[in-house]
Amino acid sequence: MEFTYEDFEPFCKWKREPNSDTLEIHLPGFKRQQLRVQLSSSGNLVISGERESDSDGKKRNRFRREFNVSNEIEANQIQAKFFNGILYVIMPKRSTAAAAGVDVKASTMNWNKRLAMEIIAAVSSAVAVGVYVTKYCQCSHLGS
Protein backbone atom coordinates (compact mmCIF):
# COMPACT_ATOMS: atom_id res chain seq x y z
CA MET A 1 0.00 0.00 0.00
CA GLU A 2 1.32 3.40 -0.96
CA PHE A 3 0.79 6.31 1.44
CA THR A 4 0.46 10.01 0.85
CA TYR A 5 2.14 12.00 3.61
CA GLU A 6 1.25 15.41 4.89
CA ASP A 7 4.02 16.88 7.03
CA PHE A 8 3.05 19.40 9.68
CA GLU A 9 4.67 21.44 12.43
CA PRO A 10 2.98 20.90 15.83
CA PHE A 11 2.59 23.78 18.29
CA CYS A 12 5.38 23.65 20.90
CA LYS A 13 5.72 25.57 24.16
CA TRP A 14 8.60 25.63 26.66
CA LYS A 15 8.14 25.90 30.40
CA ARG A 16 11.41 26.85 32.11
CA GLU A 17 11.82 26.19 35.85
CA PRO A 18 14.85 26.22 38.19
CA ASN A 19 15.09 22.40 38.39
CA SER A 20 13.77 21.34 34.98
CA ASP A 21 12.62 22.42 31.53
CA THR A 22 9.39 21.03 30.13
CA LEU A 23 8.53 20.96 26.45
CA GLU A 24 4.82 20.76 25.61
CA ILE A 25 3.94 19.54 22.11
CA HIS A 26 0.28 19.80 21.16
CA LEU A 27 -0.76 16.74 19.13
CA PRO A 28 -4.58 16.50 18.95
CA GLY A 29 -5.79 13.26 17.40
CA PHE A 30 -2.58 11.34 18.13
CA LYS A 31 -2.26 8.30 20.36
CA ARG A 32 0.76 7.53 22.54
CA GLN A 33 1.71 4.54 20.36
CA GLN A 34 2.03 6.83 17.33
CA LEU A 35 4.78 8.95 18.94
CA ARG A 36 8.52 8.46 19.38
CA VAL A 37 10.85 10.33 21.71
CA GLN A 38 14.55 9.55 21.27
CA LEU A 39 17.95 10.93 22.19
CA SER A 40 20.22 10.86 19.13
CA SER A 41 23.88 9.85 19.21
CA SER A 42 24.76 13.55 18.80
CA GLY A 43 22.79 14.36 21.98
CA ASN A 44 19.76 15.94 20.32
CA LEU A 45 16.21 15.16 21.38
CA VAL A 46 14.24 13.81 18.40
CA ILE A 47 10.44 13.71 18.60
CA SER A 48 8.37 12.29 15.77
CA GLY A 49 4.94 10.91 15.08
CA GLU A 50 2.74 9.53 12.34
CA ARG A 51 -0.97 8.71 12.09
CA GLU A 52 -3.66 7.99 9.54
CA SER A 53 -5.65 11.06 8.57
CA ASP A 54 -8.39 9.51 6.44
CA SER A 55 -10.69 6.53 6.68
CA ASP A 56 -9.14 4.50 3.86
CA GLY A 57 -5.68 4.69 5.49
CA LYS A 58 -3.84 6.04 2.44
CA LYS A 59 -3.26 9.55 3.74
CA ARG A 60 -1.06 10.05 6.80
CA ASN A 61 -0.02 13.03 8.92
CA ARG A 62 3.52 13.11 10.26
CA PHE A 63 5.97 15.40 12.00
CA ARG A 64 9.57 15.35 13.16
CA ARG A 65 11.16 17.89 15.51
CA GLU A 66 14.72 17.97 16.76
CA PHE A 67 15.88 19.97 19.77
CA ASN A 68 19.38 20.62 21.07
CA VAL A 69 19.79 19.36 24.65
CA SER A 70 21.96 21.79 26.62
CA ASN A 71 24.75 20.72 29.00
CA GLU A 72 22.64 21.76 31.97
CA ILE A 73 20.12 18.96 31.24
CA GLU A 74 20.53 15.50 32.80
CA ALA A 75 20.01 13.64 29.48
CA ASN A 76 19.60 10.16 30.99
CA GLN A 77 16.74 11.45 33.20
CA ILE A 78 14.52 12.85 30.40
CA GLN A 79 10.91 11.63 30.66
CA ALA A 80 7.92 11.91 28.32
CA LYS A 81 4.22 11.74 29.20
CA PHE A 82 1.26 11.97 26.84
CA PHE A 83 -2.03 13.27 28.24
CA ASN A 84 -5.11 14.81 26.56
CA GLY A 85 -3.37 15.32 23.21
CA ILE A 86 -0.30 17.00 24.71
CA LEU A 87 3.15 15.40 24.88
CA TYR A 88 5.09 16.62 27.93
CA VAL A 89 8.85 16.11 27.74
CA ILE A 90 10.38 16.77 31.17
CA MET A 91 14.12 17.49 31.21
CA PRO A 92 15.65 17.69 34.72
CA LYS A 93 18.58 20.04 35.10
CA ARG A 94 21.92 19.08 36.60
CA SER A 95 23.16 20.80 39.74
CA THR A 96 24.80 24.15 39.03
CA ALA A 97 28.33 22.83 39.64
CA ALA A 98 27.79 19.77 37.44
CA ALA A 99 26.34 21.89 34.63
CA ALA A 100 29.41 24.12 34.76
CA GLY A 101 31.64 21.07 34.46
CA VAL A 102 32.98 21.37 38.00
CA ASP A 103 33.88 18.13 39.73
CA VAL A 104 32.09 18.57 43.06
CA LYS A 105 34.13 15.88 44.83
CA ALA A 106 37.46 17.36 43.67
CA SER A 107 36.27 20.85 44.59
CA THR A 108 35.34 19.69 48.12
CA MET A 109 38.70 17.90 48.48
CA ASN A 110 40.59 21.05 47.50
CA TRP A 111 38.59 23.09 50.00
CA ASN A 112 39.31 20.52 52.76
CA LYS A 113 43.04 20.59 51.97
CA ARG A 114 43.09 24.39 52.10
CA LEU A 115 41.25 24.39 55.44
CA ALA A 116 43.68 21.81 56.88
CA MET A 117 46.66 23.91 55.77
CA GLU A 118 45.17 27.02 57.39
CA ILE A 119 44.61 25.12 60.66
CA ILE A 120 48.19 23.79 60.61
CA ALA A 121 49.51 27.31 60.00
CA ALA A 122 47.41 28.73 62.88
CA VAL A 123 48.49 25.98 65.32
CA SER A 124 52.15 26.38 64.32
CA SER A 125 51.91 30.12 64.89
CA ALA A 126 50.31 29.61 68.30
CA VAL A 127 53.01 27.12 69.31
CA ALA A 128 55.76 29.47 68.12
CA VAL A 129 54.29 32.38 70.09
CA GLY A 130 53.99 30.15 73.18
CA VAL A 131 57.61 29.01 72.91
CA TYR A 132 58.79 32.60 72.42
CA VAL A 133 56.78 33.89 75.38
CA THR A 134 57.99 31.06 77.64
CA LYS A 135 61.63 31.49 76.65
CA TYR A 136 62.01 35.26 76.34
CA CYS A 137 59.26 36.85 78.37
CA GLN A 138 60.27 38.10 81.80
CA CYS A 139 56.84 37.54 83.32
CA SER A 140 56.74 36.79 87.05
CA HIS A 141 53.63 34.63 86.93
CA LEU A 142 55.21 32.08 84.52
CA GLY A 143 57.64 30.88 87.14
CA SER A 144 61.30 30.51 86.34
Side-chain angles (χ1 to χ4, degrees):
M1 179 182 282
E2 195 168 314
F3 298 114
T4 303
Y5 290 99
E6 183 179 319
D7 293 330
F8 74 100
E9 194 80 22
F11 174 74
C12 299
K13 180 171 80 172
W14 285 97
K15 184 177 179 183
R16 311 270 186 198
E17 295 178 320
N19 296 325
S20 68
D21 288 341
T22 301
L23 174 62
E24 292 181 13
I25 303 175
H26 295 249
L27 299 162
F30 274 82
K31 296 177 182 162
R32 190 188 71 179
Q33 301 87 330
Q34 298 167 324
L35 304 172
R36 293 185 80 181
V37 179
Q38 300 172 299
L39 197 59
S40 72
S41 59
S42 62
N44 289 337
L45 183 66
V46 180
I47 302 170
S48 60
E50 183 178 313
R51 69 175 174 100
E52 292 179 0
S53 62
D54 64 358
S55 58
D56 63 5
K58 290 185 178 184
K59 189 174 179 187
R60 301 179 75 78
N61 289 340
R62 68 181 178 185
F63 74 96
R64 183 177 191 282
R65 294 290 313 260
E66 194 163 331
F67 301 92
N68 184 29
V69 177
S70 74
N71 288 341
E72 70 178 0
I73 299 298
E74 192 72 58
N76 62 347
Q77 305 265 330
I78 294 174
Q79 296 180 6
K81 297 178 182 176
F82 189 64
F83 182 70
N84 285 344
I86 300 175
L87 178 65
Y88 299 90
V89 182
I90 300 104
M91 296 174 261
K93 293 181 181 177
R94 299 176 194 249
S95 68
T96 307
V102 175
D103 183 352
V104 176
K105 187 175 180 181
S107 177
T108 302
M109 252 177 31
N110 289 338
W111 186 83
N112 287 342
K113 283 181 184 177
R114 190 174 68 235
L115 180 62
M117 292 303 287
E118 288 177 11
I119 290 171
I120 290 170
V123 169
S124 297
S125 296
V127 169
V129 167
V131 168
Y132 177 82
V133 167
T134 304
K135 186 171 185 177
Y136 297 106
C137 186
Q138 306 270 330
C139 301
S140 61
H141 69 277
L142 291 177
S144 357

